[in-house]
Amino acid sequence: MFKSISMLVVVSAVVFCLASSGQARLPGTLNFENITDTNVVQTVPEAGSGQEKEVEFGDFDNDGDLDVVIGNAFSDFGTRKNKLYRNDDGVMLEISATGAIPGFTSDDVTRNAFFRDYNQDGWLDIIIINDNNTGGDAGRTKVYINKQVAGVFSFFKEEGNDRLGPGTGGAACSGVSFDIDGVNGPDLYVGNYPGPSQDTMYFNDGNGFFTEVTSTHVPADGDYTVDVAAADMNGDGQMDLLISNWSPNYVYYNDNEGAGSGLGDFRYSSSGDIDNLGTAGQTENAMEPADFDGDGLVDIYWSNRTSITDKILQNMGNDANNMATYSEVFLPDHVSDFKSVKATVVDLNHDGKIDVFVMGDNTRPSVLRNISWDGNIEFVDWTPAPAFPNGSSLRGWHAAAFRIDDDEWEDIFLGGWNDDHMFRNVDSSEFDETDLAVVDGKIQLPAVYNLDPVAVSGTAAVGEPDTYELSGLGSGFISAVLNGADNLQLEVYHTDGSLILKVDHGTFGIEEASQFDSDGVGTIRVVVLESAGGTCEGDANGDGVVDPLDSGFVLARFGCPVGTGDESCDAADQNGDGAVDPLDVGFVLARFGPCEGGLGSYILEILARD
């Protein structure tokens, strides 16, 4: 039932601020806008479509802004140009063809580019891993060392031949760079494909010079490796390798239980060092590690460009050989229906859950919002149509998520197949329920189909649901998310009044969410099953009982301005008429006694699109 009372409700865990101009973003909400036209300045033209780009961020000039480097391998080994963007207060200016990094736009078929401080001088250097289809010195990994004058960045100088040698063992197709052996800073692991196919690894001496350790530390293999990632998969405190192949995938465990020759040894075979994660059917794929269910175990997002749909491998703990075991979790229909390339994992809305940004092979990207609960991994598609329209205009290979500007939210920089794109993490269209029209007892939800997501903050008494009416929906899907510290229930009804679905995870402070077809949807109901705070009508001071103390609370605030940000004034306006006066005292007196039911506070978010 719609209420005539407006008040700020403070519950035990969260304060939900009413949305209005100048106020803070509603907690947990999520939206994006495309700011490419104003915030990305490309100075080196793209040479056709089909750019296979790997994107990474880092502050190479130590000015406090995160910059971007892109390794660019044209899919058919045609013309391609690597890219370096300098971040100027949130505007990405490409400086690839300037004196800042001489030779960077030569025709290298670059598979990865890393920002790392390889020589440990406090300034980020760059390594690019090149395919042997590269013109000139084919297959050579290049090392660009950061040079400064009087403590100010000046330029990058390429020193790969001196620091790493003339090659990386063959046709490099992927790699990772981190401190593999636990000493001397970031090392390098390179995944290769046939010609020859042996993966290679190089240890850093701490000064940015590398020694190859393949024969003593890397398993002998003949696989077509297309992607490499790193994470502690078995919880032993050591970083393992996730090897994605054009054949079965593997996890190489790092010195599992001390069976190898020390940290950084993936070579040994005496205790089942290789964990087989697939068959030969996945061809071009990638594995991205993250703890999606918050249980402290690292799960895997598995992108598959051909043959097999995307899925989650949920880490179920270790077996007798100290290797992780997995259970498959499938994804929303939209994502499982298309070919994906790479995924980026990050908590985009700061709700403590890792979300996923998935690049489509020939369609729009997808933002997968994590709605996992109580060990159940679950996602909904949360991709706003204005920022990410249908079609292949935003087709890309890889994206990086980081804070591009000065706010606290992670944005997205996409390495596109045609041009690069930037998406700012912004507020949803935010409303308070009391600001919305009510028709026949139903709160009129603002237009949402193929528009930005809508977030509504509201309160509802236990047993007196708020009903929201949707209109103007087309064919597609709706994602609905209901947040709050109370025990809430989300219900979706057809236009004929029949129940479509009910979501209730059965306890306080748990997100209720779902994705469903938009055809025939009429209303969404928010039900407060139990109130965590015990606040109810008349309980002005929020102590769980309506008594003379509440009358005194109101009397002490007679004439207090309502709606100006003073929470105590808003709470004293018990009848919601915009003034604190004798009518509020009467409102309280009529409700003397223990709280029955109480008010629950919530945020309802809706995204709908085709």
Side-chain angles (χ1 to χ4, degrees):
M1 183 177 75
F2 183 72
K3 303 164 296 305
S4 61
I5 303 166
S6 174
M7 60 187 298
L8 182 71
V9 179
V10 181
V11 294
S12 59
V14 183
V15 177
F16 294 111
C17 299
L18 302 185
S20 65
S21 177
Q23 289 189 318
R25 175 172 176 171
L26 289 174
T29 56
L30 182 61
N31 188 27
F32 288 94
E33 67 172 334
N34 190 331
I35 58 171
T36 301
D37 289 346
T38 57
N39 289 67
V40 179
V41 182
Q42 292 190 209
T43 58
V44 178
E46 301 279 16
S49 61
Q51 312 292 325
E52 296 180 2
K53 297 175 179 177
E54 289 282 344
V55 185
E56 182 158 303
F57 60 88
D59 182 9
F60 74 80
D61 52 2
N62 284 353
D63 67 348
D65 293 329
L66 292 173
D67 312 298
V68 167
V69 64
I70 298 178
N72 187 2
F74 188 76
S75 59
D76 293 320
F77 312 119
T79 302
R80 56 265 156 190
K81 307 291 182 183
N82 294 325
K83 293 177 174 292
L84 180 64
Y85 287 93
R86 186 184 67 229
N87 187 337
D88 289 337
D89 295 324
V91 176
M92 291 295 182
L93 174 63
E94 185 182 3
I95 58 171
S96 312
T98 69
I101 188 162
F104 200 56
T105 59
S106 61
D107 287 344
D108 295 325
V109 180
T110 300
R111 297 298 184 171
N112 286 95
F114 303 115
F115 274 132
R116 302 287 187 274
D117 183 7
Y118 288 106
N119 60 356
Q120 304 291 281
D121 65 351
W123 295 80
L124 292 179
D125 310 301
I126 296 173
I127 275 184
I128 60 172
I129 296 175
N130 290 325
D131 192 303
N132 70 353
N133 291 282
T134 298
D137 44 359
R140 182 170 72 85
T141 291
K142 295 184 178 180
V143 183
Y144 293 86
I145 298 298
N146 193 319
K147 304 293 184 179
Q148 314 88 44
V149 176
V152 177
F153 169 77
S154 180
F155 64 98
F156 287 97
K157 182 182 178 184
E158 204 284 296
E159 300 178 358
N161 263 329
D162 293 334
R163 293 178 176 270
L164 198 137
T168 54
C173 198
S174 57
V176 289
S177 184
F178 64 98
D179 190 357
I180 295 172
D181 60 353
V183 295
N184 297 328
D187 307 303
L188 181 66
Y189 184 98
V190 179
N192 291 297
Y193 69 88
S197 61
Q198 174 64 50
D199 292 355
T200 56
M201 188 162 68
Y202 306 83
F203 282 172
N204 188 348
D205 70 352
N207 296 306
F209 291 87
F210 296 82
T211 300
E212 184 176 352
V213 293
T214 302
S215 62
T216 57
H217 286 73
V218 180
D221 68 62
D223 298 308
Y224 190 140
T225 300
V226 293
D227 193 70
V228 183
D232 180 6
M233 299 306 299
N234 60 352
D236 65 354
Q238 302 179 40
M239 296 288 282
D240 309 306
L241 297 177
L242 290 82
I243 310 295
S244 299
N245 293 314
W246 204 318
S247 57
N249 289 352
Y250 300 110
V251 175
Y252 289 169
Y253 288 97
N254 191 341
D255 190 37
N256 190 29
E257 298 181 328
S261 61
L263 189 62
D265 185 0
F266 305 95
R267 165 194 52 81
Y268 61 93
S269 58
S270 59
S271 55
D273 58 310
I274 293 177
D275 197 352
N276 187 335
L277 295 181
T279 64
Q282 55 258 21
T283 60
E284 292 193 35
N285 70 106
M287 296 186 290
E288 195 67 31
D291 180 7
F292 293 117
D293 54 0
D295 64 353
L297 303 176
V298 180
D299 311 300
I300 298 171
Y301 186 94
W302 195 342
S303 301
N304 283 280
R305 190 180 182 194
T306 57
S307 303
I308 301 176
T309 184
D310 284 13
K311 57 191 172 186
I312 300 287
L313 298 182
Q314 184 175 12
N315 192 329
M316 307 304 292
N318 295 349
D319 63 13
N321 292 320
N322 203 34
M323 298 192 300
T325 60
Y326 306 93
S327 176
E328 289 188 6
V329 178
F330 290 90
L331 296 159
D333 288 343
H334 167 71
V335 179
S336 63
D337 286 345
F338 73 65
K339 300 174 182 179
S340 74
V341 183
K342 299 262 182 154
T344 300
V345 294
V346 63
D347 182 1
L348 291 167
N349 58 338
H350 296 189
D351 64 350
K353 302 174 185 178
I354 303 298
D355 309 299
V356 185
F357 185 80
V358 186
M359 298 304 309
D361 180 54
N362 196 25
T363 187
R364 67 167 174 87
S366 289
V367 179
L368 297 186
R369 180 169 175 171
N370 191 334
I371 58 168
S372 300
W373 57 281
D374 194 25
N376 298 282
I377 296 179
E378 190 174 352
F379 291 85
V380 293
D381 191 326
W382 201 266
T383 316
F388 304 99
N390 289 331
S392 60
S393 62
L394 299 179
R395 183 185 184 192
W397 191 262
H398 185 237
F402 61 99
R403 298 179 186 181
I404 292 171
D405 46 27
D406 292 333
D407 68 16
E408 62 180 295
W409 303 98
E410 282 68 26
D411 311 296
I412 293 173
F413 193 95
L414 184 157
W417 283 59
N418 295 300
D419 290 297
D420 303 321
H421 304 271
M422 188 189 299
F423 303 90
R424 177 176 287 143
N425 193 332
V426 296
D427 296 357
S428 300
S429 298
E430 298 180 353
F431 301 89
D432 183 80
E433 62 163 326
T434 58
D435 298 326
L436 301 177
V438 181
V439 177
D440 296 331
K442 300 174 182 177
I443 307 170
Q444 303 300 293
L445 196 72
V448 67
Y449 185 72
N450 279 340
L451 301 174
D452 286 322
V454 166
V456 180
S457 57
T459 59
V462 173
E464 298 182 10
D466 280 347
T467 299
Y468 289 87
E469 187 167 36
L470 294 89
S471 60
L473 297 176
S475 180
F477 69 87
I478 298 175
S479 292
V481 176
L482 180 62
N483 275 312
D486 302 292
N487 185 0
L488 304 173
Q489 181 171 285
L490 177 70
E491 300 174 355
V492 181
Y493 291 86
H494 196 275
T495 52
D496 64 11
S498 60
L499 179 67
I500 295 175
L501 63 88
K502 180 187 297 184
V503 185
D504 173 24
H505 295 144
T507 188
F508 291 95
I510 300 296
E511 190 172 70
E512 314 291 354
S514 184
Q515 180 177 329
F516 44 91
D517 290 340
S518 58
D519 293 339
V521 173
T523 58
I524 291 178
R525 287 209 315 174
V526 175
V527 183
V528 179
L529 300 177
E530 297 175 88
S531 173
T535 304
C536 59
E537 293 184 351
D539 183 18
N541 65 357
D543 64 358
V545 64
V546 184
D547 57 19
L549 292 177
D550 297 294
S551 299
F553 183 92
V554 174
L555 286 169
R557 289 160 178 79
F558 266 23
C560 183
V562 176
T564 60
D566 188 328
E567 296 176 9
S568 65
C569 294
D570 294 340
D573 179 23
Q574 282 290 294
N575 66 354
D577 64 358
V580 183
D581 54 25
L583 293 176
D584 297 295
V585 176
F587 187 94
V588 171
L589 290 171
R591 289 160 176 79
F592 266 25
C595 277
E596 297 286 343
L599 284 175
S601 186
Y602 63 84
I603 297 173
L604 174 66
E605 296 176 78
I606 303 293
L607 180 145
R609 66 170 297 166
D610 58 3

